[in-house]
mmCIF file of all heavy atoms in Angstrom:
data_model
loop_
_atom_site.group_PDB
_atom_site.id
_atom_site.type_symbol
_atom_site.label_atom_id
_atom_site.label_comp_id
_atom_site.label_asym_id
_atom_site.label_seq_id
_atom_site.Cartn_x
_atom_site.Cartn_y
_atom_site.Cartn_z
ATOM 1 N N TYR A 65 2.856 22.771 -17.109
ATOM 2 C CA TYR A 65 2.790 22.536 -15.665
ATOM 3 C C TYR A 65 4.174 22.358 -15.062
ATOM 4 O O TYR A 65 4.468 22.907 -13.987
ATOM 5 C CB TYR A 65 1.917 21.309 -15.371
ATOM 6 C CG TYR A 65 0.454 21.622 -15.270
ATOM 7 C CD1 TYR A 65 -0.322 21.818 -16.406
ATOM 8 C CD2 TYR A 65 -0.175 21.731 -14.045
ATOM 9 C CE1 TYR A 65 -1.674 22.123 -16.328
ATOM 10 C CE2 TYR A 65 -1.525 22.024 -13.936
ATOM 11 C CZ TYR A 65 -2.271 22.223 -15.083
ATOM 12 O OH TYR A 65 -3.611 22.531 -14.993
ATOM 13 N N ARG A 89 15.110 19.733 -6.448
ATOM 14 C CA ARG A 89 16.167 18.721 -6.422
ATOM 15 C C ARG A 89 16.505 18.233 -7.818
ATOM 16 O O ARG A 89 17.675 18.008 -8.156
ATOM 17 C CB ARG A 89 15.737 17.543 -5.547
ATOM 18 C CG ARG A 89 16.779 16.431 -5.430
ATOM 19 C CD ARG A 89 16.277 15.334 -4.522
ATOM 20 N NE ARG A 89 17.269 14.264 -4.380
ATOM 21 C CZ ARG A 89 17.079 13.165 -3.673
ATOM 22 N NH1 ARG A 89 15.933 12.985 -3.001
ATOM 23 N NH2 ARG A 89 18.019 12.234 -3.604
ATOM 24 N N LEU A 103 10.692 20.635 -28.118
ATOM 25 C CA LEU A 103 11.197 20.327 -29.455
ATOM 26 C C LEU A 103 10.437 19.164 -30.083
ATOM 27 O O LEU A 103 10.076 19.206 -31.266
ATOM 28 C CB LEU A 103 12.692 20.005 -29.385
ATOM 29 C CG LEU A 103 13.606 21.173 -28.973
ATOM 30 C CD1 LEU A 103 15.050 20.693 -28.845
ATOM 31 C CD2 LEU A 103 13.507 22.320 -29.968
ATOM 32 N N GLN A 137 -0.216 37.857 -15.536
ATOM 33 C CA GLN A 137 0.670 37.743 -14.383
ATOM 34 C C GLN A 137 1.354 39.063 -14.061
ATOM 35 O O GLN A 137 1.598 39.377 -12.891
ATOM 36 C CB GLN A 137 1.720 36.661 -14.638
ATOM 37 C CG GLN A 137 1.181 35.243 -14.531
ATOM 38 C CD GLN A 137 2.274 34.200 -14.681
ATOM 39 O OE1 GLN A 137 3.260 34.414 -15.378
ATOM 40 N NE2 GLN A 137 2.098 33.069 -14.014
ATOM 41 N N PHE A 139 0.318 42.342 -15.208
ATOM 42 C CA PHE A 139 -0.495 43.539 -15.107
ATOM 43 C C PHE A 139 -1.940 43.289 -14.668
ATOM 44 O O PHE A 139 -2.603 44.214 -14.209
ATOM 45 C CB PHE A 139 -0.526 44.275 -16.455
ATOM 46 C CG PHE A 139 0.838 44.492 -17.053
ATOM 47 C CD1 PHE A 139 1.249 43.764 -18.159
ATOM 48 C CD2 PHE A 139 1.711 45.408 -16.492
ATOM 49 C CE1 PHE A 139 2.511 43.961 -18.723
ATOM 50 C CE2 PHE A 139 2.973 45.610 -17.037
ATOM 51 C CZ PHE A 139 3.380 44.890 -18.149
ATOM 52 N N TRP A 159 -9.886 22.319 -28.817
ATOM 53 C CA TRP A 159 -9.410 22.989 -30.023
ATOM 54 C C TRP A 159 -9.404 22.081 -31.247
ATOM 55 O O TRP A 159 -10.036 22.371 -32.267
ATOM 56 C CB TRP A 159 -8.018 23.552 -29.772
ATOM 57 C CG TRP A 159 -7.426 24.299 -30.925
ATOM 58 C CD1 TRP A 159 -6.375 23.913 -31.704
ATOM 59 C CD2 TRP A 159 -7.843 25.573 -31.433
ATOM 60 N NE1 TRP A 159 -6.102 24.857 -32.665
ATOM 61 C CE2 TRP A 159 -6.998 25.890 -32.526
ATOM 62 C CE3 TRP A 159 -8.844 26.466 -31.087
ATOM 63 C CZ2 TRP A 159 -7.133 27.066 -33.257
ATOM 64 C CZ3 TRP A 159 -8.979 27.644 -31.819
ATOM 65 C CH2 TRP A 159 -8.133 27.921 -32.884
ATOM 66 N N ALA A 185 -13.211 23.338 -14.364
ATOM 67 C CA ALA A 185 -11.793 23.679 -14.319
ATOM 68 C C ALA A 185 -11.524 24.827 -13.352
ATOM 69 O O ALA A 185 -10.542 24.803 -12.593
ATOM 70 C CB ALA A 185 -11.292 24.034 -15.718
ATOM 71 N N SER A 232 -25.450 20.616 -15.003
ATOM 72 C CA SER A 232 -25.302 19.251 -15.528
ATOM 73 C C SER A 232 -26.630 18.500 -15.474
ATOM 74 O O SER A 232 -26.989 17.776 -16.411
ATOM 75 C CB SER A 232 -24.234 18.495 -14.732
ATOM 76 O OG SER A 232 -22.977 19.126 -14.834
ATOM 77 N N LEU A 233 -27.351 18.669 -14.377
ATOM 78 C CA LEU A 233 -28.663 18.025 -14.263
ATOM 79 C C LEU A 233 -29.645 18.581 -15.292
ATOM 80 O O LEU A 233 -30.428 17.829 -15.892
ATOM 81 C CB LEU A 233 -29.213 18.230 -12.850
ATOM 82 C CG LEU A 233 -28.514 17.443 -11.732
ATOM 83 C CD1 LEU A 233 -29.023 17.891 -10.368
ATOM 84 C CD2 LEU A 233 -28.732 15.946 -11.917
ATOM 85 N N GLN A 263 -14.628 17.002 2.471
ATOM 86 C CA GLN A 263 -14.511 15.813 3.318
ATOM 87 C C GLN A 263 -13.481 16.048 4.410
ATOM 88 O O GLN A 263 -12.334 16.409 4.143
ATOM 89 C CB GLN A 263 -14.118 14.592 2.483
ATOM 90 C CG GLN A 263 -14.029 13.313 3.307
ATOM 91 C CD GLN A 263 -13.731 12.096 2.449
ATOM 92 O OE1 GLN A 263 -13.805 12.159 1.228
ATOM 93 N NE2 GLN A 263 -13.395 10.987 3.077
#
Side-chain angles (χ1 to χ4, degrees):
Y65 274 78
R89 181 179 181 182
L103 294 176
Q137 285 185 329
F139 310 108
W159 182 250
S232 299
L233 289 172
Q263 182 176 348

